[in-house]
Each structure stands twice: as C-alpha cells, then as structure tokens.
Amino acid sequence: MTSRMDHFRQQVYYWVKKIPKGKVTSYGAIAKLAGFPRHARHVSKALGSAPDRKSLPWQRVIGADGKIAFHPDSDHYALQQTLLQKEGIRVINGKVDMKRFSWESPLQQSEHQTENNMRAEEFFR
DNA sequence: AACTTGACTTCAA
DNA sequence: ATTGAAGCCAAGT
C-alpha cells in the first residue's frame, strides 16, 4: 500500500530528467513539480534509491541555497561536483550561483506569466 | 506507539 | 554571509 509514494517517485524521475544539461534546480522545486510540495526531503530519498542512476541526471538537483547537499568530505560530494563542472556549471566552495544556473521550470514560468498578467491588469485599471 | 533519521527549507538573528 | 532553530514527513528502529 505504498502506491502513493511510488507515484511520487515516478514524478520525481520524470521531472529530474527534464532538467537541461548545464542547469540545476532544488529538491523543493522538484517536489513541487511532482505535486508533493512539502516533500523536499523525500526527493533525495527517491534519487538515492533510483533503479536507473545511469539515465538520471541526479547531480542537477541541489539545495535551494545552491549548495551541494552531501557532506563536503564525502565521495558523493566530490562526484557531484565533478559531474556538474563537467557540464559547464561553476561550483565555488560547494555552491552554485543560482542566479545564473538555475533551471526555469515550467512552473516558475507560469508564475512569471501570472505575475505579468497582474501587472497588465494594474496598468489597464 | 514513540522516537530517530535525513542528498530539505524557511526565517530570524 | 553564516548559523541555528523550527517545521517538514515517510521510513526505519
């Protein structure tokens, strides 16, 4: 009876695969896209237990603050950093400049859209 | 059933 | 810019 979380995991994999090479996003953003807004912590679990790590760009998911979430002295940390750098993402002290490398997900785009609509409405008032 | 554990996030010092 | 506390929630003990 874990079909709920199974679905969650499918959604996570689906969206993580949509992150373009050279861009990153956060655990929280993926959780939201997956339809489970408060499950940021579970995104990491899903990635860690993914059946096909090969086809999953897990390295493009980092903390909302732009930092690699693994412990800095771990092998995972080192691997993620090199994988990111290998696709052109600059990592300074374990941190990525989100201003520059964060993926504009469809969700955020639509948020901008409504924001613009608000502006237009105000303009024509 | 109670308590702990994270590849998290947000907010307030 | 850092740090820490509080909130989060399924899984594992």
Side-chain angles (χ1 to χ4, degrees):
Chain A
M1 212 294 276
T2 72
S3 76
R4 181 185 140 89
M5 285 317 270
D6 284 345
H7 175 245
F8 168 71
R9 293 163 52 123
Q10 294 314 310
Q11 289 301 298
V12 168
Y13 302 147
Y14 171 85
W15 285 108
V16 169
K17 287 177 182 172
K18 300 223 128 158
I19 309 170
K21 185 194 294 185
K23 291 292 182 181
V24 297
T25 191
S26 69
Y27 299 93
I30 291 296
K32 197 168 172 183
L33 285 168
F36 294 73
R38 266 149 285 152
H39 293 242
R41 309 192 85 134
H42 298 117
V43 171
S44 55
K45 292 255 181 68
L47 296 183
S49 61
D52 55 340
R53 318 234 238 140
K54 280 284 192 282
S55 65
L56 193 69
W58 57 269
Q59 72 272 21
R60 299 182 193 152
V61 186
I62 62 183
D65 57 1
K67 289 201 265 191
I68 290 176
F70 289 109
H71 290 163
D73 48 17
S74 68
D75 291 345
H76 288 336
Y77 178 95
L79 174 60
Q80 184 165 22
Q81 169 161 297
T82 52
L83 285 177
L84 287 175
Q85 291 176 334
K86 201 176 295 183
E87 51 186 79
I89 295 171
R90 209 79 73 70
V91 185
I92 315 287
N93 294 326
K95 184 166 43 171
V96 171
D97 180 0
M98 296 303 269
K99 274 295 239 282
R100 184 167 160 191
F101 296 105
S102 129
W103 172 48
E104 282 290 296
S105 74
L107 199 52
Q108 299 176 50
Q109 289 179 28
S110 70
E111 281 172 6
H112 291 169
Q113 193 58 43
T114 64
E115 196 175 323
N116 290 336
N117 290 340
M118 301 280 281
R119 262 192 248 296
E121 255 179 61
E122 185 162 343
F123 181 79
F124 287 115
R125 185 152 43 120

